[in-house]
Coordinates of all heavy atoms in Angstrom, one line a residue:
M204 N -3.4 -12.9 -16.0 CA -3.8 -12.3 -14.8 C -2.6 -12.0 -14.0 O -1.9 -12.8 -13.6 CB -4.8 -13.2 -14.1 CG -5.2 -12.8 -12.8 SD -6.6 -13.6 -11.9 CE -6.3 -15.3 -12.2
D205 N -2.5 -10.7 -13.5 CA -1.4 -10.3 -12.6 C -2.0 -10.3 -11.2 O -3.1 -9.8 -11.0 CB -0.9 -8.9 -13.0 CG -0.1 -8.9 -14.2 OD1 0.5 -9.9 -14.6 OD2 -0.2 -7.8 -14.9
I206 N -1.3 -11.0 -10.3 CA -1.7 -11.0 -8.9 C -0.9 -10.0 -8.2 O 0.3 -9.9 -8.3 CB -1.5 -12.4 -8.3 CG1 -2.4 -13.5 -9.1 CG2 -1.7 -12.4 -6.8 CD1 -2.3 -14.9 -8.6
V207 N -1.6 -9.2 -7.4 CA -1.0 -8.2 -6.6 C -0.8 -8.7 -5.1 O -1.7 -9.3 -4.6 CB -1.9 -6.9 -6.5 CG1 -1.3 -5.9 -5.6 CG2 -2.1 -6.3 -7.9
N208 N 0.4 -8.7 -4.6 CA 0.7 -9.1 -3.3 C 1.1 -7.9 -2.5 O 1.8 -7.0 -2.9 CB 1.9 -10.1 -3.3 CG 1.5 -11.3 -4.1 OD1 0.7 -12.1 -3.7 ND2 2.1 -11.4 -5.3
A209 N 0.5 -7.9 -1.3 CA 0.8 -6.6 -0.4 C 0.9 -7.0 1.0 O 0.1 -7.9 1.5 CB -0.3 -5.6 -0.6
L210 N 1.8 -6.4 1.7 CA 1.9 -6.6 3.2 C 0.7 -5.7 3.7 O 0.4 -4.6 3.2 CB 3.3 -6.1 3.7 CG 4.4 -6.9 3.4 CD1 5.6 -6.2 3.9 CD2 4.3 -8.2 4.2
N211 N 0.0 -6.1 4.7 CA -1.1 -5.4 5.3 C -0.6 -4.1 6.0 O 0.3 -4.2 6.8 CB -1.9 -6.2 6.2 CG -3.2 -5.6 6.6 OD1 -3.7 -4.7 5.9 ND2 -3.8 -6.1 7.7
Y212 N -1.1 -3.0 5.6 CA -0.7 -1.7 6.2 C -1.7 -1.3 7.2 O -3.0 -1.5 6.9 CB -0.6 -0.6 5.1 CG 0.6 -0.9 4.2 CD1 0.4 -1.6 3.0 CD2 1.8 -0.3 4.5 CE1 1.5 -1.8 2.2 CE2 3.0 -0.5 3.7 CZ 2.8 -1.3 2.5 OH 3.9 -1.5 1.7
P213 N -1.4 -0.7 8.3 CA -0.1 -0.4 8.7 C 0.6 -1.7 9.3 O -0.1 -2.5 9.8 CB -0.2 0.6 9.9 CG -1.5 0.3 10.4 CD -2.4 -0.2 9.3
F214 N 1.8 -1.9 9.0 CA 2.5 -3.0 9.5 C 3.5 -2.8 10.6 O 4.6 -3.3 10.7 CB 3.2 -3.8 8.3 CG 4.1 -2.9 7.5 CD1 5.4 -2.7 7.9 CD2 3.6 -2.4 6.3 CE1 6.3 -1.9 7.1 CE2 4.5 -1.6 5.6 CZ 5.8 -1.4 6.0
K215 N 3.1 -1.8 11.5 CA 4.0 -1.4 12.6 C 4.4 -2.6 13.4 O 5.6 -2.6 13.9 CB 3.2 -0.4 13.4 CG 4.0 0.7 14.1 CD 5.0 1.4 13.2 CE 5.3 2.7 13.7 NZ 6.4 3.3 12.9
D216 N 3.5 -3.6 13.7 CA 3.9 -4.7 14.5 C 5.0 -5.5 13.9 O 6.0 -6.0 14.5 CB 2.7 -5.6 14.8 CG 1.6 -5.0 15.7 OD1 1.9 -4.0 16.3 OD2 0.5 -5.5 15.6
L217 N 5.0 -5.7 12.6 CA 6.0 -6.4 11.9 C 7.3 -5.6 11.9 O 8.4 -6.2 12.2 CB 5.6 -6.6 10.4 CG 6.7 -7.1 9.4 CD1 7.2 -8.4 9.9 CD2 6.1 -7.2 8.0
E218 N 7.3 -4.4 11.7 CA 8.4 -3.5 11.7 C 9.1 -3.6 13.1 O 10.3 -3.7 13.2 CB 8.1 -2.1 11.3 CG 9.3 -1.2 11.1 CD 8.9 0.2 10.6 OE1 7.8 0.5 10.6 OE2 9.8 0.8 10.1
Q219 N 8.3 -3.4 14.1 CA 8.8 -3.4 15.5 C 9.4 -4.7 15.9 O 10.4 -4.8 16.5 CB 7.7 -3.0 16.5 CG 7.3 -1.6 16.4 CD 6.1 -1.2 17.2 OE1 5.4 -2.1 17.7 NE2 5.8 0.1 17.4
A220 N 8.7 -5.8 15.5 CA 9.2 -7.2 15.7 C 10.6 -7.3 15.0 O 11.5 -8.0 15.6 CB 8.3 -8.2 15.3
Y221 N 10.7 -6.9 13.8 CA 11.9 -7.0 13.1 C 13.1 -6.3 13.8 O 14.1 -6.9 14.0 CB 11.7 -6.4 11.7 CG 13.0 -6.5 10.8 CD1 13.3 -7.6 10.1 CD2 13.8 -5.3 10.7 CE1 14.6 -7.6 9.4 CE2 14.9 -5.3 9.9 CZ 15.3 -6.4 9.2 OH 16.5 -6.5 8.5
Y222 N 12.9 -5.0 14.2 CA 13.9 -4.3 14.8 C 14.2 -4.9 16.2 O 15.4 -4.9 16.6 CB 13.6 -2.8 15.0 CG 13.6 -2.1 13.7 CD1 12.5 -1.3 13.2 CD2 14.7 -2.1 12.8 CE1 12.6 -0.6 12.0 CE2 14.7 -1.4 11.7 CZ 13.7 -0.6 11.3 OH 13.7 0.0 10.1
R223 N 13.2 -5.3 16.9 CA 13.4 -5.9 18.3 C 14.2 -7.2 18.2 O 14.9 -7.5 19.2 CB 12.0 -6.1 18.9 CG 12.0 -6.6 20.4 CD 10.7 -6.7 21.0 NE 9.6 -7.5 20.2 CZ 8.6 -7.0 19.6 NH1 8.4 -5.6 19.6 NH2 7.8 -7.7 18.9
N224 N 14.1 -8.0 17.1 CA 14.7 -9.3 17.1 C 16.0 -9.4 16.3 O 16.6 -10.4 16.4 CB 13.7 -10.3 16.6 CG 12.6 -10.6 17.7 OD1 12.8 -11.2 18.7 ND2 11.4 -10.0 17.4
T225 N 16.2 -8.5 15.4 CA 17.4 -8.7 14.5 C 18.4 -7.6 14.8 O 18.2 -6.7 15.4 CB 16.9 -8.5 13.0 OG1 16.6 -7.1 12.7 CG2 15.8 -9.3 12.6
T226 N 19.6 -7.9 14.3 CA 20.8 -7.1 14.4 C 21.0 -6.3 13.2 O 22.1 -5.6 13.1 CB 22.0 -7.9 14.9 OG1 22.3 -8.8 13.8 CG2 21.9 -8.6 16.2
S227 N 20.1 -6.3 12.3 CA 20.4 -5.6 10.9 C 20.4 -4.1 11.1 O 19.6 -3.5 11.8 CB 19.3 -6.0 10.0 OG 19.4 -5.4 8.8
D228 N 21.3 -3.5 10.4 CA 21.3 -2.0 10.3 C 20.5 -1.5 9.1 O 20.4 -0.3 8.9 CB 22.8 -1.5 10.2 CG 23.5 -1.8 11.4 OD1 23.0 -1.9 12.5 OD2 24.8 -2.0 11.3
I229 N 19.9 -2.4 8.3 CA 19.2 -2.0 7.1 C 17.8 -1.6 7.5 O 17.1 -2.4 8.2 CB 19.1 -3.2 6.1 CG1 20.5 -3.6 5.7 CG2 18.3 -2.8 4.9 CD1 20.5 -4.9 4.9
P230 N 17.4 -0.4 7.2 CA 16.0 0.0 7.5 C 15.0 -0.9 6.8 O 15.2 -1.3 5.7 CB 15.9 1.4 6.9 CG 17.3 1.9 6.8 CD 18.1 0.7 6.5
F231 N 13.9 -1.3 7.6 CA 13.0 -2.3 7.2 C 12.4 -1.9 5.8 O 12.1 -2.7 5.0 CB 11.9 -2.5 8.2 CG 11.0 -3.6 7.9 CD1 11.4 -4.9 8.0 CD2 9.7 -3.2 7.5 CE1 10.5 -5.9 7.6 CE2 8.8 -4.3 7.1 CZ 9.2 -5.6 7.2
F232 N 12.0 -0.6 5.6 CA 11.3 -0.2 4.4 C 12.2 -0.5 3.2 O 11.6 -0.6 2.1 CB 10.9 1.3 4.5 CG 12.0 2.2 4.3 CD1 12.4 2.7 3.0 CD2 12.8 2.7 5.4 CE1 13.5 3.6 2.9 CE2 13.8 3.7 5.3 CZ 14.1 4.1 4.0
L233 N 13.5 -0.7 3.3 CA 14.3 -1.0 2.1 C 14.3 -2.5 1.7 O 14.6 -2.8 0.6 CB 15.8 -0.6 2.4 CG 16.1 0.9 2.5 CD1 17.5 1.1 2.9 CD2 15.7 1.6 1.2
I234 N 13.9 -3.3 2.7 CA 13.8 -4.7 2.4 C 12.5 -5.3 2.3 O 12.3 -6.5 2.0 CB 14.7 -5.5 3.4 CG1 14.2 -5.4 4.8 CG2 16.2 -5.1 3.2 CD1 14.8 -6.4 5.7
Q235 N 11.4 -4.6 2.7 CA 10.1 -5.2 2.9 C 9.6 -5.7 1.6 O 9.0 -6.8 1.5 CB 9.1 -4.1 3.4 CG 8.8 -3.0 2.5 CD 8.0 -1.9 3.2 OE1 7.9 -1.8 4.3 NE2 7.5 -1.0 2.4
E236 N 9.8 -5.0 0.5 CA 9.3 -5.6 -0.8 C 10.1 -6.8 -1.3 O 9.5 -7.8 -1.8 CB 9.4 -4.5 -1.9 CG 8.7 -4.9 -3.2 CD 8.7 -3.7 -4.2 OE1 8.6 -2.6 -3.7 OE2 8.8 -4.0 -5.4
D237 N 11.4 -6.9 -1.0 CA 12.2 -8.1 -1.3 C 11.7 -9.3 -0.5 O 11.7 -10.3 -1.0 CB 13.7 -7.8 -1.0 CG 14.3 -6.9 -2.0 OD1 13.8 -6.7 -3.1 OD2 15.3 -6.2 -1.6
L238 N 11.4 -9.0 0.8 CA 10.9 -10.1 1.6 C 9.6 -10.7 1.1 O 9.3 -11.9 1.0 CB 10.7 -9.7 3.1 CG 12.1 -9.3 3.8 CD1 11.8 -8.7 5.1 CD2 12.9 -10.6 4.0
L239 N 8.7 -9.7 0.8 CA 7.4 -10.2 0.2 C 7.6 -10.9 -1.1 O 7.0 -12.0 -1.3 CB 6.5 -8.9 0.0 CG 5.2 -9.2 -0.7 CD1 4.3 -10.1 0.2 CD2 4.4 -7.8 -0.9
N240 N 8.4 -10.4 -2.0 CA 8.7 -11.1 -3.3 C 9.2 -12.5 -3.1 O 8.9 -13.4 -3.8 CB 9.6 -10.3 -4.2 CG 8.9 -9.0 -4.7 OD1 7.6 -9.0 -4.8 ND2 9.6 -8.0 -5.0
M241 N 10.1 -12.6 -2.0 CA 10.7 -13.9 -1.7 C 9.6 -14.9 -1.2 O 9.6 -16.1 -1.7 CB 11.8 -13.8 -0.7 CG 12.4 -15.1 -0.2 SD 13.5 -14.9 1.2 CE 12.3 -14.6 2.4
M242 N 8.7 -14.5 -0.4 CA 7.6 -15.3 0.1 C 6.8 -15.8 -1.1 O 6.3 -16.9 -1.2 CB 6.8 -14.7 1.2 CG 7.5 -14.5 2.4 SD 6.5 -14.0 3.9 CE 6.2 -12.3 3.3
V243 N 6.5 -14.8 -2.0 CA 5.6 -15.2 -3.2 C 6.3 -16.1 -4.1 O 5.7 -17.2 -4.5 CB 5.3 -13.8 -3.9 CG1 4.6 -14.2 -5.3 CG2 4.4 -13.0 -3.1
A244 N 7.6 -15.9 -4.3 CA 8.4 -16.8 -5.2 C 8.5 -18.2 -4.6 O 8.5 -19.2 -5.5 CB 9.8 -16.2 -5.5
K245 N 8.6 -18.3 -3.3 CA 8.7 -19.6 -2.7 C 7.4 -20.2 -2.3 O 7.3 -21.3 -1.8 CB 9.6 -19.5 -1.4 CG 11.1 -19.2 -1.7 CD 11.9 -19.1 -0.4 CE 13.4 -19.1 -0.7 NZ 14.2 -19.2 0.5
D246 N 6.3 -19.4 -2.5 CA 5.0 -19.9 -2.1 C 4.9 -20.3 -0.7 O 4.4 -21.3 -0.3 CB 4.6 -21.1 -3.0 CG 3.0 -21.3 -2.9 OD1 2.3 -20.3 -2.7 OD2 2.7 -22.5 -3.2
T247 N 5.4 -19.4 0.2 CA 5.4 -19.6 1.6 C 4.7 -18.5 2.3 O 4.5 -17.4 1.7 CB 6.8 -19.7 2.2 OG1 7.5 -18.5 2.0 CG2 7.6 -20.9 1.6
N248 N 4.3 -18.7 3.6 CA 3.7 -17.6 4.4 C 4.6 -17.2 5.5 O 4.2 -16.7 6.6 CB 2.4 -18.1 5.0 CG 2.6 -19.2 6.0 OD1 3.6 -19.9 6.0 ND2 1.6 -19.3 6.9
Y249 N 5.9 -17.3 5.3 CA 7.0 -16.9 6.3 C 8.3 -16.5 5.6 O 8.5 -16.8 4.5 CB 7.2 -18.0 7.3 CG 7.8 -19.2 6.7 CD1 9.2 -19.3 6.5 CD2 6.9 -20.3 6.1 CE1 9.8 -20.5 5.9 CE2 7.5 -21.4 5.6 CZ 8.9 -21.5 5.4 OH 9.5 -22.6 4.9
F250 N 9.1 -15.8 6.4 CA 10.5 -15.7 6.0 C 11.3 -15.9 7.3 O 10.9 -15.6 8.4 CB 10.8 -14.3 5.4 CG 10.7 -13.1 6.2 CD1 11.7 -12.7 7.1 CD2 9.5 -12.3 6.3 CE1 11.6 -11.6 7.9 CE2 9.4 -11.2 7.1 CZ 10.4 -10.8 7.9
D251 N 12.5 -16.5 7.1 CA 13.3 -16.8 8.2 C 14.6 -15.8 8.2 O 15.0 -15.4 7.2 CB 14.0 -18.2 8.0 CG 12.9 -19.3 8.2 OD1 11.9 -19.0 8.8 OD2 13.2 -20.4 7.7
V252 N 15.0 -15.5 9.5 CA 16.2 -14.7 9.7 C 17.2 -15.6 10.4 O 16.9 -16.1 11.5 CB 15.9 -13.4 10.6 CG1 17.2 -12.6 10.8 CG2 14.9 -12.6 9.8
P253 N 18.4 -15.8 9.9 CA 19.3 -16.8 10.5 C 19.8 -16.3 11.8 O 19.9 -15.1 12.0 CB 20.4 -16.9 9.4 CG 20.4 -15.7 8.6 CD 18.9 -15.2 8.6
G254 N 20.2 -17.2 12.7 CA 20.7 -16.9 14.0 C 21.8 -15.9 14.0 O 22.0 -15.2 15.0
T255 N 22.6 -15.9 13.0 CA 23.8 -14.9 12.9 C 23.3 -13.5 12.8 O 24.1 -12.6 13.0 CB 24.7 -15.3 11.8 OG1 24.0 -15.2 10.5 CG2 25.4 -16.6 12.0
K256 N 22.0 -13.3 12.5 CA 21.5 -11.9 12.2 C 20.4 -11.6 13.3 O 19.7 -10.6 13.1 CB 20.8 -11.8 10.9 CG 21.8 -12.0 9.7 CD 22.7 -10.9 9.6 CE 23.7 -11.1 8.5 NZ 24.7 -10.1 8.3
T257 N 20.2 -12.4 14.4 CA 19.2 -12.2 15.4 C 19.9 -11.9 16.7 O 21.1 -12.3 16.9 CB 18.3 -13.4 15.6 OG1 19.0 -14.5 16.1 CG2 17.6 -13.7 14.3
K258 N 19.2 -11.1 17.6 CA 19.8 -10.8 18.9 C 19.9 -12.0 19.8 O 20.8 -12.1 20.7 CB 19.0 -9.6 19.5 CG 19.1 -8.3 18.8 CD 18.2 -7.3 19.4 CE 18.4 -6.0 18.6 NZ 17.4 -4.9 19.0
S259 N 19.0 -12.9 19.6 CA 19.0 -14.1 20.5 C 20.0 -15.2 20.0 O 20.3 -16.1 20.8 CB 17.6 -14.8 20.5 OG 17.3 -15.3 19.2
G260 N 20.5 -15.1 18.8 CA 21.3 -16.1 18.2 C 20.7 -17.3 17.6 O 21.3 -18.3 17.2
H261 N 19.3 -17.3 17.7 CA 18.5 -18.4 17.2 C 17.9 -18.0 15.9 O 17.6 -16.8 15.7 CB 17.4 -18.8 18.2 CG 17.9 -19.2 19.5 ND1 18.4 -20.5 19.7 CD2 17.9 -18.6 20.7 CE1 18.7 -20.6 20.9 NE2 18.5 -19.5 21.5
T262 N 17.6 -18.9 15.0 CA 16.9 -18.7 13.7 C 15.5 -18.3 14.1 O 14.8 -19.0 14.9 CB 17.0 -19.8 12.8 OG1 18.4 -20.1 12.4 CG2 16.2 -19.6 11.5
L263 N 15.0 -17.3 13.5 CA 13.6 -16.8 13.8 C 12.8 -16.9 12.5 O 13.3 -16.6 11.4 CB 13.6 -15.4 14.3 CG 14.3 -15.2 15.7 CD1 14.3 -13.8 16.1 CD2 13.7 -16.1 16.8
R264 N 11.5 -17.2 12.7 CA 10.6 -17.3 11.6 C 9.5 -16.2 11.8 O 8.8 -16.2 12.8 CB 9.9 -18.6 11.4 CG 8.9 -18.7 10.3 CD 8.6 -20.2 10.0 NE 9.8 -20.8 9.3 CZ 10.0 -22.0 9.0 NH1 9.1 -22.9 9.4 NH2 11.0 -22.5 8.4
F265 N 9.4 -15.3 10.8 CA 8.3 -14.3 10.8 C 7.2 -14.8 10.0 O 7.3 -15.1 8.8 CB 8.9 -13.0 10.2 CG 9.8 -12.3 11.1 CD1 11.1 -12.8 11.3 CD2 9.5 -11.1 11.7 CE1 12.1 -12.1 12.1 CE2 10.4 -10.4 12.5 CZ 11.7 -10.9 12.8
M266 N 6.0 -15.0 10.6 CA 4.9 -15.7 10.0 C 3.7 -14.8 9.6 O 3.5 -13.8 10.3 CB 4.4 -16.8 10.9 CG 5.5 -17.8 11.3 SD 5.0 -19.0 12.6 CE 4.7 -17.8 13.9
F267 N 3.0 -15.2 8.6 CA 1.9 -14.3 8.0 C 0.7 -15.2 7.7 O 0.8 -16.4 7.4 CB 2.4 -13.7 6.7 CG 3.5 -12.7 7.0 CD1 4.9 -13.2 7.0 CD2 3.3 -11.4 7.1 CE1 5.9 -12.3 7.2 CE2 4.4 -10.5 7.3 CZ 5.7 -11.0 7.3
D268 N -0.4 -14.6 7.8 CA -1.7 -15.2 7.2 C -1.8 -14.6 5.9 O -1.6 -13.4 5.7 CB -2.9 -14.8 8.0 CG -3.1 -15.7 9.3 OD1 -2.6 -16.8 9.3 OD2 -3.6 -15.1 10.3
I269 N -2.2 -15.4 4.8 CA -2.4 -14.9 3.5 C -3.8 -14.9 3.2 O -4.6 -16.0 3.4 CB -1.7 -15.7 2.5 CG1 -0.1 -15.7 2.8 CG2 -1.9 -15.2 1.1 CD1 0.7 -16.7 1.9
T270 N -4.4 -13.7 2.8 CA -5.9 -13.6 2.5 C -6.0 -13.2 1.1 O -5.3 -12.3 0.7 CB -6.5 -12.6 3.4 OG1 -6.3 -12.9 4.8 CG2 -8.0 -12.5 3.2
I271 N -6.8 -13.9 0.3 CA -7.2 -13.5 -1.0 C -8.5 -12.7 -0.8 O -9.5 -13.1 -0.3 CB -7.5 -14.8 -1.9 CG1 -6.2 -15.6 -2.0 CG2 -7.9 -14.3 -3.3 CD1 -6.3 -16.9 -2.8
I272 N -8.4 -11.5 -1.3 CA -9.5 -10.5 -1.2 C -10.7 -11.0 -2.1 O -10.5 -11.1 -3.3 CB -9.1 -9.1 -1.6 CG1 -7.8 -8.7 -0.8 CG2 -10.2 -8.1 -1.4 CD1 -8.0 -8.7 0.7
E273 N -11.8 -11.1 -1.5 CA -13.0 -11.7 -2.2 C -13.4 -10.8 -3.4 O -13.9 -11.2 -4.4 CB -14.2 -11.8 -1.3 CG -14.1 -13.0 -0.4 CD -15.2 -13.2 0.5 OE1 -16.4 -12.8 0.1 OE2 -15.1 -13.7 1.7
E274 N -13.4 -9.5 -3.2 CA -13.8 -8.5 -4.2 C -12.9 -8.5 -5.4 O -13.3 -8.1 -6.5 CB -13.9 -7.1 -3.6 CG -14.9 -6.9 -2.5 CD -14.4 -7.4 -1.1 OE1 -13.2 -7.6 -1.0 OE2 -15.3 -7.7 -0.3
N275 N -11.6 -9.0 -5.2 CA -10.7 -9.0 -6.3 C -9.7 -10.1 -6.0 O -8.7 -9.9 -5.3 CB -10.0 -7.6 -6.4 CG -9.1 -7.5 -7.6 OD1 -8.8 -8.6 -8.2 ND2 -8.7 -6.4 -8.0
V276 N -9.9 -11.3 -6.5 CA -9.1 -12.4 -6.2 C -7.6 -12.3 -6.7 O -6.7 -13.1 -6.4 CB -9.7 -13.7 -6.8 CG1 -11.0 -14.0 -6.1 CG2 -9.8 -13.7 -8.3
E277 N -7.3 -11.2 -7.4 CA -6.0 -11.0 -7.8 C -5.1 -10.3 -6.8 O -4.0 -10.1 -7.0 CB -6.0 -10.1 -9.2 CG -6.6 -10.8 -10.3 CD -6.7 -9.9 -11.6 OE1 -6.1 -8.8 -11.6 OE2 -7.3 -10.4 -12.5
I278 N -5.8 -10.0 -5.7 CA -5.1 -9.3 -4.6 C -4.9 -10.3 -3.4 O -5.9 -10.8 -2.9 CB -5.8 -8.0 -4.1 CG1 -5.9 -7.0 -5.2 CG2 -5.1 -7.4 -2.9 CD1 -6.7 -5.7 -4.9
H279 N -3.7 -10.5 -3.0 CA -3.3 -11.4 -1.8 C -2.7 -10.5 -0.8 O -1.7 -9.8 -1.0 CB -2.3 -12.4 -2.2 CG -2.8 -13.4 -3.3 ND1 -2.0 -14.5 -3.7 CD2 -4.0 -13.4 -4.0 CE1 -2.8 -15.1 -4.6 NE2 -3.9 -14.5 -4.8
R280 N -3.3 -10.5 0.4 CA -2.9 -9.7 1.5 C -2.1 -10.6 2.6 O -2.6 -11.6 2.9 CB -4.0 -9.0 2.2 CG -3.7 -8.0 3.3 CD -4.9 -7.4 3.9 NE -5.5 -8.4 4.7 CZ -6.8 -8.5 5.0 NH1 -7.6 -7.7 4.5 NH2 -7.3 -9.5 5.8
Y281 N -1.0 -10.1 3.0 CA -0.1 -10.8 4.0 C -0.3 -10.1 5.3 O 0.2 -8.9 5.4 CB 1.3 -10.8 3.5 CG 1.6 -11.8 2.3 CD1 1.1 -11.5 1.1 CD2 2.4 -12.9 2.6 CE1 1.4 -12.5 0.0 CE2 2.6 -13.8 1.5 CZ 2.1 -13.6 0.2 OH 2.3 -14.4 -0.8
D282 N -0.9 -10.7 6.3 CA -1.0 -10.2 7.6 C -0.1 -10.8 8.6 O -0.1 -12.0 8.7 CB -2.5 -10.4 8.1 CG -3.5 -9.8 7.3 OD1 -3.5 -8.5 7.1 OD2 -4.4 -10.5 6.7
F283 N 0.8 -10.0 9.2 CA 1.7 -10.5 10.1 C 1.1 -11.2 11.4 O 0.2 -10.6 12.0 CB 2.6 -9.3 10.6 CG 3.7 -9.7 11.6 CD1 4.7 -10.6 11.2 CD2 3.7 -9.1 12.9 CE1 5.7 -10.9 12.2 CE2 4.7 -9.4 13.8 CZ 5.7 -10.3 13.4
K284 N 1.5 -12.4 11.6 CA 1.0 -13.2 12.8 C 1.9 -13.1 14.0 O 1.5 -13.1 15.1 CB 0.8 -14.6 12.4 CG -0.4 -14.9 11.6 CD -0.6 -16.3 11.2 CE -0.1 -17.4 12.0 NZ -0.3 -18.7 11.6
G285 N 3.3 -13.2 13.7 CA 4.1 -13.3 14.8 C 5.5 -13.8 14.4 O 5.7 -14.1 13.3
V286 N 6.3 -14.0 15.5 CA 7.7 -14.5 15.3 C 7.8 -15.8 16.2 O 7.4 -15.8 17.3 CB 8.7 -13.5 15.7 CG1 10.1 -14.0 15.5 CG2 8.6 -12.2 15.0
K287 N 8.5 -16.8 15.6 CA 8.8 -18.0 16.5 C 10.2 -18.4 16.2 O 10.8 -18.2 15.1 CB 7.8 -19.1 16.3 CG 7.9 -19.9 15.0 CD 7.0 -21.1 15.0 CE 7.2 -21.9 13.7 NZ 6.4 -23.1 13.8
R288 N 10.8 -19.0 17.2 CA 12.1 -19.6 17.2 C 12.0 -20.9 16.5 O 11.2 -21.8 16.8 CB 12.7 -19.7 18.5 CG 14.2 -20.1 18.5 CD 14.8 -19.9 19.8 NE 14.6 -21.2 20.6 CZ 15.0 -21.4 21.8 NH1 15.6 -20.5 22.5 NH2 14.8 -22.6 22.4
I289 N 12.9 -21.2 15.5 CA 12.9 -22.5 14.9 C 14.2 -23.2 15.0 O 15.2 -22.6 15.4 CB 12.5 -22.4 13.4 CG1 13.4 -21.6 12.6 CG2 11.1 -22.0 13.3 CD1 13.2 -21.7 11.1

């Protein structure tokens, strides 16, 4: 059974939070799949951005709710919850 993992679209809030908080010059759409794959591989509902890559200088955690779609349990949806300093 292949499980499909997807960021909830539209994810404008996630994209805006990413640009507002990080110093990265990499467009978000180029890394979004890698971030999702990393969360799946680590079995987590977040990804961290180190303080050296944030505007505040603090490590930030981007958090998500994970929902398994009832109609198709092979689909896991990641809904952006927010950012917190860790």
Side-chain angles (χ1 to χ4, degrees):
M204 168 170 50
D205 289 330
I206 295 178
V207 176
N208 298 287
L210 290 172
N211 191 18
Y212 291 92
F214 53 84
K215 210 52 154 168
D216 291 343
L217 170 59
E218 187 175 17
Q219 288 174 348
Y221 177 80
Y222 289 127
R223 186 173 51 250
N224 289 289
T225 70
T226 59
S227 177
D228 292 333
I229 301 170
F231 185 74
F232 75 91
L233 291 177
I234 62 168
Q235 67 189 17
E236 191 170 326
D237 291 337
L238 293 171
L239 179 60
N240 289 335
M241 180 190 65
M242 288 190 290
V243 170
K245 291 183 173 186
D246 194 28
T247 63
N248 67 335
Y249 64 88
F250 67 85
D251 294 336
V252 177
T255 57
K256 300 289 183 185
T257 66
K258 292 178 180 176
S259 68
H261 299 284
T262 298
L263 299 178
R264 179 164 287 171
F265 288 71
M266 300 169 300
F267 298 81
D268 282 329
I269 303 171
T270 305
I271 298 173
I272 306 302
E273 288 182 29
E274 297 80 20
N275 186 346
V276 296
E277 296 179 6
I278 298 176
H279 297 183
R280 185 182 72 211
Y281 287 68
D282 297 301
F283 179 59
K284 284 179 31 178
V286 180
K287 74 174 185 177
R288 189 171 88 178
I289 57 169

